[in-house]
Amino acid sequence: MKLYRFGQAVCRFVLRLFFKVEIRGRENIPEEGGVLLCSNHISNFDPPLLGAFINRQVRYMAKKELFDKLGIGKLLKGLGAFPVKRGGSDRESLRTALKILKQGDMVGLFPEGTRSKTGEIGNGLAGAGFFAGKSDAYVVPCVIIGPYKFRKRVILVYGKPIDMEAYRKERVSAKDITEKIMTEIQQLKDTHQ
């Protein structure tokens, strides 16, 4: 955890140095309990931005190949990241993410699965809906409004947790839950742009 806190401080410094960072809705992050942060994805700066300005640790899936690289793998593990095999179903990473959420910790996820080249919010993959439906975690939609350009404003908005009770009770499909999450992200963007 010390490494994570140090990393947060470094990220805050670098992000504020290069960009005019504006954070909105921090009060919407539950102080305890499992939280699934679901955000749009426009840059490699997104993961550090999502976690740098809040008090809780955000854990991310990172592609397995990164964990095989000398130094980077240990750093990622130290920061709480866990590996995922891309291009297919990786049951181990799914179990790991659910375990983290059930332990009352926070997982950061980019439902689109890849960065948007246009800055527009695309369709989400079913993974976000799977985690939201299979856990009791709070689901917090987030939007990052950029672009990241030197000394230009970048806005990060944490939305209010989505009420998932009906979706979980009625066993709504992961795809439909993801669509709900993506709609909330789009609404945040439309409201705060």
Side-chain angles (χ1 to χ4, degrees):
M1 193 63 165
K2 285 183 182 179
L3 178 61
Y4 186 83
R5 292 292 179 219
F6 176 74
Q8 275 185 310
V10 169
C11 288
R12 279 193 301 269
F13 174 77
V14 170
L15 288 164
R16 284 183 174 141
L17 181 67
F18 287 96
F19 314 108
K20 293 180 180 176
V21 177
E22 187 176 322
I23 309 296
R24 301 175 185 170
R26 261 186 282 235
E27 70 278 3
N28 292 325
I29 303 285
E31 292 182 20
E32 53 188 45
V35 175
L36 182 64
L37 282 183
C38 294
S39 179
N40 65 320
H41 196 10
I42 60 173
S43 167
N44 287 331
F45 286 112
D46 295 344
L49 179 66
L50 271 180
F53 295 92
I54 57 176
N55 291 326
R56 296 185 62 183
Q57 180 179 13
V58 182
R59 300 189 58 191
Y60 297 98
M61 292 182 190
K63 60 184 178 180
K64 185 181 181 309
E65 298 80 27
L66 292 175
F67 288 85
D68 298 333
K69 296 186 179 191
L70 190 61
I72 294 176
K74 280 189 175 183
L75 177 64
L76 288 172
K77 284 182 185 174
L79 293 172
F82 55 98
V84 60
K85 293 177 198 163
R86 292 171 47 146
S89 178
D90 180 354
R91 290 194 172 142
E92 185 60 31
S93 66
L94 297 177
R95 281 194 291 270
T96 300
L98 284 173
K99 182 179 174 188
I100 290 167
L101 293 170
K102 288 179 181 180
Q103 288 172 339
D105 293 325
M106 187 179 292
V107 172
L109 195 65
F110 301 102
E112 295 161 290
T114 188
R115 291 184 307 276
S116 168
K117 295 188 179 9
T118 65
E120 296 301 314
I121 295 173
N123 294 323
L125 304 174
F130 171 81
F131 294 126
K134 294 285 186 189
S135 71
D136 290 329
Y138 295 99
V139 178
V140 177
C142 310
V143 70
I144 299 166
I145 303 169
Y148 291 90
K149 289 193 175 177
F150 185 66
R151 300 310 299 153
K152 296 293 182 188
R153 187 168 69 157
V154 175
I155 302 170
L156 167 58
V157 183
Y158 297 102
K160 292 185 178 176
I162 301 168
D163 183 359
M164 298 301 304
E165 188 176 341
Y167 289 88
R168 290 172 177 151
K169 191 182 286 186
E170 295 174 21
R171 298 187 184 270
V172 174
S173 75
K175 183 176 181 276
D176 288 344
I177 295 173
T178 297
E179 284 181 22
K180 170 66 173 166
I181 293 168
M182 297 309 295
T183 298
E184 294 285 333
I185 294 171
Q186 183 66 57
Q187 287 175 351
L188 280 177
K189 184 176 182 183
D190 294 343
T191 302
H192 291 272
Q193 212 164 16

